[in-house]
Amino acid sequence: YGYFLRDLDVRFAADDVSALLPAAGLLGPQGTLRVRAPALDLGTSGVDGNAEVVWENAVLRPAGATVLGDYRLQLNGHGRTLALKLETLRGTLEANGQGEWRAETGALDFNGSLKPHIRTPQLDALLGLLGEDRGNGERRLNYNGPTPFALH
C-alpha cells in the first residue's frame, strides 16, 4: 500500500492546505501552490523519487495582505527518509532550511531560518510566534516532532 505519483503537475489555492492540515488554517495561507513530481513513491517499503512544491505569491493572513514571496520545497526520497530543502525564489521574507521526514514514524526534523527584508509590525508579530530571534529580525524556523503523516 502507498502513494505513487507519476508525471504530476498540479496547481491549487494555498488555503486548500487547511483541509489536509487544519493547523495551517490559523495562518490563513494564500497564493498558489504548484506540485510537480516526475516520480515519487511513498509506500510501506519506503520512499523513492523526488518532487517539488512551489508556493507562488505567498501570503500569511497574520502578516497582513502583503505578498511575502515565492518559495520552493524540494523533496528527495531515498529508503526510509524524505530529504527536504526549502529556499526562497524571490520576496521580502527570506525562508531557507533543510530537514528530513521519516516514513515509518512520520517524524520531521527541520532546521531553517526566516529573515524579513522589509519589516512591519504585523510581520514582526507573526515571526515572533514562529521562531527564536537570532538578531536583526532573523528567526529560527525549527521543528523536531511528529506529523500526521506516517507510512506503516
Side-chain angles (χ1 to χ4, degrees), residues 82-146:
L82 190 64
L84 310 170
K85 180 181 177 187
L86 174 65
E87 62 185 330
T88 302
L89 300 176
R90 69 166 186 89
T92 59
L93 178 64
E94 186 176 333
N96 296 295
Q98 55 189 359
E100 183 177 86
W101 174 78
R102 290 179 284 291
E104 284 184 315
T105 62
L108 175 63
D109 184 14
F110 185 87
N111 296 296
S113 64
L114 299 167
K115 183 174 182 177
H117 294 293
I118 297 174
R119 298 184 64 179
T120 66
Q122 296 96 335
L123 183 56
D124 283 347
L126 174 63
L127 294 177
L129 296 173
L130 295 178
E132 177 187 340
D133 189 354
R134 291 179 163 174
N136 292 332
E138 185 175 353
R139 301 286 177 162
R140 291 183 197 270
L141 181 62
N142 296 344
Y143 182 80
N144 185 343

Side-chain angles (χ1 to χ4, degrees), residues 4-10 35-41 48-53 75-76:
F4 307 97
L5 306 176
R6 296 288 183 272
D7 300 319
L8 180 71
D9 190 350
V10 297
V35 180
R36 289 186 280 206
L40 181 63
D41 298 342
D48 186 45
N50 58 66
E52 76 171 12
V53 179
L75 311 167
N76 292 300

Side-chain angles (χ1 to χ4, degrees), residues 9-18 29-36 52-58 71 73:
D9 190 350
V10 297
R11 289 179 183 268
F12 55 94
D15 60 355
D16 290 345
V17 170
S18 300
Q30 296 175 8
T32 302
L33 289 172
R34 181 175 186 183
V35 180
R36 289 186 280 206
E52 76 171 12
V53 179
V54 175
W55 186 5
E56 300 167 336
N57 299 311
Y71 306 93
L73 180 64

